[in-house]
Amino acid sequence: MGIFPFIFCRLGGFKRKLFEGLKGTISQLKLRGSWGKLGNQNISSSYYPFSEPLSLGSTSMNGVVYQTIQQLIMSNPDLKWEETTMSGIGVDVSLWKKLDLTFDIYNKKTDGILLRLNTSQLTGLQAPVQNAAVVSNKGWEIGAQYNERWGILK
């Protein structure tokens, strides 16, 4: 089991002397920030991929049926949750009570991605689930919305 915290902060409604001269221009200003972690363990058909189940079967030799127990998939006792860490900052601005602008910068990193990597087929077992990859997404987003009529568009 993992611990996955999250925090979010938003500052808005700036009523400072600094913005009094811009009162007719900037009708709203908000600053946002966040950081958090997520976990994932959904990869295998087993709820316990660190300890794969045994399969029951039977085989016949010389006219006699024998019960068998076998492991079909390698287990991985060192398996951990995937962890995704996300952080971001953003700004929301409304200008002249007509134009809304947003700007966001984000960073998302997933570490320990759960995969089945190839192993030697000499074992006779399927490959175990492993924490085997890292993916990082970074970027920015910008958005604009006009809240009045502009020609035939609204």
Side-chain angles (χ1 to χ4, degrees):
M1 214 176 203
I3 297 174
F4 304 106
F6 180 82
I7 188 167
F8 174 80
C9 181
R10 185 185 87 184
L11 301 172
F14 288 92
K15 305 228 188 262
R16 307 272 186 249
K17 288 184 179 183
L18 176 67
F19 293 103
E20 281 187 21
L22 300 173
K23 209 174 208 179
T25 305
I26 298 177
S27 51
Q28 188 176 41
L29 177 64
K30 294 180 192 171
L31 301 175
R32 296 176 277 108
S34 64
W35 177 91
K37 276 191 171 189
L38 296 172
N40 178 29
Q41 67 173 1
N42 298 328
I43 186 71
S44 177
S45 59
S46 168
Y47 287 109
Y48 308 100
F50 59 87
S51 172
E52 292 290 348
L54 300 175
S55 297
L56 300 175
S58 61
T59 188
S60 175
M61 288 189 285
N62 212 16
V64 179
V65 177
Y66 296 95
Q67 296 297 316
T68 62
I69 299 175
Q70 62 185 0
Q71 183 175 354
L72 299 176
I73 303 172
M74 283 184 184
S75 60
N76 181 356
D78 299 324
L79 200 59
K80 299 177 196 164
W81 286 58
E82 282 183 8
E83 288 189 356
T84 300
T85 304
M86 297 176 292
S87 58
I89 57 172
V91 177
D92 299 326
V93 179
S94 291
L95 302 174
W96 308 287
K97 296 184 181 179
K98 296 178 182 180
L99 180 63
D100 297 333
L101 302 172
T102 62
F103 182 74
D104 291 285
I105 297 174
Y106 61 89
N107 184 9
K108 177 181 174 185
K109 180 181 177 185
T110 303
D111 196 7
I113 293 177
L114 299 167
L115 297 171
R116 287 192 191 274
L117 299 179
N118 293 332
T119 57
S120 172
Q121 293 184 357
L122 295 175
T123 64
L125 301 173
Q126 291 181 28
V129 175
Q130 300 176 44
N131 297 99
V134 176
V135 172
S136 180
N137 296 311
K138 297 176 184 179
W140 56 271
E141 295 178 359
I142 190 166
Q145 177 178 332
Y146 187 69
N147 298 315
E148 290 280 322
R149 281 195 178 273
W150 188 25
I152 59 171
L153 302 175
K154 180 175 180 178

